[in-house]
């Protein structure tokens, strides 16, 4: 039987230099590389086009539709090209061919699983080895988390998946745009009878998106969508009682998200992060109030 082919899907937004630096040229020998360019500027689009032509990568272009929609478009293209195993990878992640091969082979051998490597920071510390949604507290954790337990989740920075599971789940929910879409996908995977796997023996490096590293000021987009999408997730998956709890815990969660960017950001133009978190939270509350997905059990 002919081995199933593997595509590596990377969503780009204004980061072609990271693609050039982090995607090893040798990966093209064993994988199909699918670059999805979410539009950021005409010059960036041209740079990505030239890079893909130079490296022999497949390019998918679209407007800025968000991370989940980008991965969905990339996997749809990969499927049309005959690939049936997919590894999604962030532009700021570095993974060698051996790590990606192991993840892809695991997806082929265990097609009902989402598989994630252990992810390290550039300094060698563990950045991600599994996450858990703490429903009673309305937050997520990664330290001390067990992704195989109820409420487990995997980060979209690197996930391997077989086509059969991807089609069953319907891919990412593109309503999230950014953040929480990987938690939503993980939740739907386990609810559908699938399971989550973190490979401790497979390790890649991720620099946490540069400006999104903990302790550095983050973008308004980060604050807005983290606060909004937490409540979108609640509307989609939680009982009415838990939804009410999450709504009441929203101010505490917004503060928690804001402090990820450190306190120094409030010395200059403090209204920007505060407004982003507040408007995202209010938008999420409105979504809760109008959602028909909330479970009444």
């Amino acid at each position: 039987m002919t081995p199933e082919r593997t595509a590596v899907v990377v969503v780009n937004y204004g980061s072609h230099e990271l693609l050039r630096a982090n995607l090893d040229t040798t990966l093209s020998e064993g994988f199909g590389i699918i670059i999805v360019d979410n539009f950021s500027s005409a010059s960036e689009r041209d740079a990505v086009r030239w890079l893909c032509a130079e490296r022999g990568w497949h390019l998918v272009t679209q407007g800025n539709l968000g991370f989940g929609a980008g991965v969905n478009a990339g996997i749809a293209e990969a499927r049309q090209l005959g690939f049936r195993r997919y590894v999604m990878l962030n532009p700021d992640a570095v993974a060698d061919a051996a790590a990606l091969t192991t993840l892809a082979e695991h997806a082929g051998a265990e097609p009902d699983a989402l598989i994630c490597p252990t992810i390290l920071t550039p300094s060698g510390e563990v950045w991600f080895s599994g996450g858990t949604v703490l429903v009673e507290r309305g937050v997520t954790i990664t330290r001390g988390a067990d992704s195989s337990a109820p409420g487990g989740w995997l980060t979209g920075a690197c996930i391997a998946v077989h086509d059969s599971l991807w089609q069953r789940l319907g891919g990412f929910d593109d309503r999230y745009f950014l953040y929480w879409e990987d938690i939503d996908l993980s939740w739907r995977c386990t609810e559908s009878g699938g399971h989550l796997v973190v490979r401790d023996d497979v390790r890649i490096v991720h620099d946490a998106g540069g400006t999104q590293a903990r302790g550095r000021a983050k973008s308004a987009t980060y604050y807005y969508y983290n606060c909004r999408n937490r409540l979108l997730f609640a509307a989609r998956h939680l009982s009415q009682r838990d939804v009410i709890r999450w709504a009441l815990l929203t101010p505490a969660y917004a503060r928690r998200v804001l402090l990820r960017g450190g306190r120094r950001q409030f010395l200059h133009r403090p209204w920007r992060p505060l407004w982003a978190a507040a408007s995202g939270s209010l938008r999420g509350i409105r979504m809760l109030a109008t959602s028909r997905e909330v479970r009444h059990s």
Side-chain angles (χ1 to χ4, degrees):
M1 183 164 65
T2 304
E4 291 181 311
R5 301 167 65 204
T6 301
V8 177
V9 176
V10 185
V11 177
N12 176 68
Y13 180 75
S15 55
H16 75 276
E17 292 294 349
L18 286 175
L19 299 178
R20 183 183 295 278
N22 292 342
L23 277 179
D24 192 328
T25 55
T26 62
L27 294 180
S28 299
E29 300 172 7
F31 304 90
I33 308 297
I34 313 290
I35 306 298
V36 181
D37 186 49
N38 276 345
F39 186 82
S40 58
S41 69
S43 60
E44 175 70 14
R45 176 63 55 84
D46 288 342
V48 173
R49 200 182 302 278
W50 278 104
L51 180 60
C52 289
E54 176 187 58
R55 297 282 179 88
W57 299 339
H58 301 275
L59 175 63
V60 177
T61 59
Q62 61 180 24
N64 184 18
L65 303 181
F67 174 75
V71 173
N72 290 345
I75 290 182
E77 176 72 7
R79 196 168 197 268
Q80 287 292 319
L81 294 170
F83 297 96
R84 291 297 180 267
R85 302 185 303 193
Y86 317 116
V87 183
M88 59 194 80
L89 187 69
N90 272 15
D92 51 9
V94 180
D96 60 24
L100 297 180
T101 296
T102 299
L103 295 173
E105 289 178 346
H106 193 145
E110 200 170 358
D112 281 340
L114 294 176
I115 303 101
C116 177
T118 297
I119 304 177
L120 308 178
T121 66
S123 64
E125 298 178 358
V126 173
W127 180 76
F128 186 86
S129 60
T132 303
V133 179
L134 300 180
V135 175
E136 294 295 319
R137 292 172 50 190
V139 299
T140 64
I141 61 169
T142 55
R143 290 187 179 181
D146 180 4
S147 59
S148 64
W153 59 274
L154 303 180
T155 174
C158 184
I159 293 177
V161 60
H162 191 271
D163 182 72
S164 59
L165 178 59
W166 186 258
Q167 298 304 322
R168 190 169 88 223
L169 297 178
F172 281 121
D173 183 341
D174 58 17
R175 289 179 294 178
Y176 286 88
F177 190 76
L178 280 174
Y179 310 115
W180 282 80
E181 66 279 288
D182 45 8
I183 301 172
D184 173 89
L185 182 74
S186 300
W187 191 281
R188 287 187 286 119
C189 174
T190 55
E191 281 200 329
S192 74
H195 53 284
L196 313 178
V197 177
V198 177
R199 291 287 298 257
D200 183 62
D201 60 325
V202 179
R203 303 200 161 200
I204 71 168
V205 175
H206 180 227
D207 76 355
T211 58
Q212 303 304 336
R214 184 171 293 276
R216 299 180 187 175
K218 303 183 189 301
S219 67
T221 299
Y222 178 92
Y223 297 128
Y224 177 88
Y225 281 106
N226 262 289
C227 292
R228 169 192 180 270
N229 290 348
R230 167 181 171 271
L231 296 171
L232 172 57
F233 174 87
R236 285 212 62 193
H237 299 295
L238 302 184
S239 68
Q240 187 175 42
R241 179 179 179 180
D242 287 328
V243 162
I244 293 171
R245 180 186 296 113
W246 279 44
L248 292 174
L249 290 170
T250 291
Y253 180 82
R255 180 178 184 275
R256 178 188 179 110
V257 169
L258 284 166
L259 288 178
R260 292 175 189 168
R263 297 179 183 276
R264 291 177 60 87
Q265 66 183 316
F266 299 111
L267 298 177
H268 305 285
R269 297 182 178 179
W271 59 269
R272 287 189 173 181
L274 291 171
W275 173 252
S279 58
S281 297
L282 289 172
R283 177 57 181 159
I285 293 293
R286 285 197 295 270
M287 292 168 69
L288 285 181
T290 59
S291 175
R292 297 182 180 180
E293 298 181 88
V294 176
R295 303 177 183 183
H296 296 282
S297 58

